[in-house]
Amino acid sequence: MLKQFKVSGSSRENDIFACMIHNLFDEYRFFSKYPEKELRITGTLFGLLIKEQLVSSITLGIALRYVLEALRKHPHQSPQSGKMFRFGMWALEHFKERLPE
């Protein structure tokens, strides 16, 4: 659905796509409080957004920065750090084949 909304000729669907991406990125600061299942789903979504090239330019830079920031957390430092590290790993799993780009 996100793919369709991004390329849609409907400005309403384009706005919905932009709003969904914006809200997802705004939510980043709360990811460490997410339950494990929801965090895994969110990490997967982040990774697939990158893999499927649904984000580009500045938005891609923000997504990659969030993943890198999460991967820099020491997984055993605190429960929140461990959660963020796992988020980063789940995201990376889905777009690792694009890393050479």
Side-chain angles (χ1 to χ4, degrees):
M1 184 182 289
L2 285 173
K3 283 182 182 181
Q4 290 173 328
F5 279 21
K6 180 180 180 183
V7 298
S8 172
S10 163
S11 62
R12 179 179 180 275
E13 288 182 353
N14 296 151
D15 289 345
I16 291 170
F17 172 81
C19 184
M20 291 174 74
I21 299 300
H22 178 79
N23 286 337
L24 178 65
F25 285 13
D26 273 353
E27 191 71 12
Y28 175 78
R29 63 181 174 228
F30 302 112
F31 287 178
S32 65
K33 297 176 182 174
Y34 276 27
E36 203 71 17
K37 177 183 174 188
E38 286 76 5
L39 186 64
R40 178 183 285 266
I41 292 167
T42 306
T44 298
L45 177 58
F46 249 78
L48 290 173
L49 287 173
I50 296 168
K51 176 184 177 187
E52 299 296 328
Q53 300 179 351
L54 291 173
V55 290
S56 58
S57 187
I58 294 170
T59 313
L60 174 61
I62 294 168
L64 291 170
R65 186 171 2 145
Y66 284 163
V67 172
L68 182 59
E69 183 179 302
L71 290 170
R72 286 184 173 155
K73 302 285 184 185
H74 191 281
H76 303 295
Q77 183 178 0
S78 70
Q80 290 79 17
S81 290
K83 278 184 154 186
M84 291 309 293
F85 182 80
R86 288 190 300 281
F87 160 79
M89 290 298 296
W90 289 320
L92 182 60
E93 273 180 29
H94 289 87
F95 71 88
K96 63 186 173 191
E97 67 270 3
R98 288 200 60 211
L99 285 176
E101 292 176 37

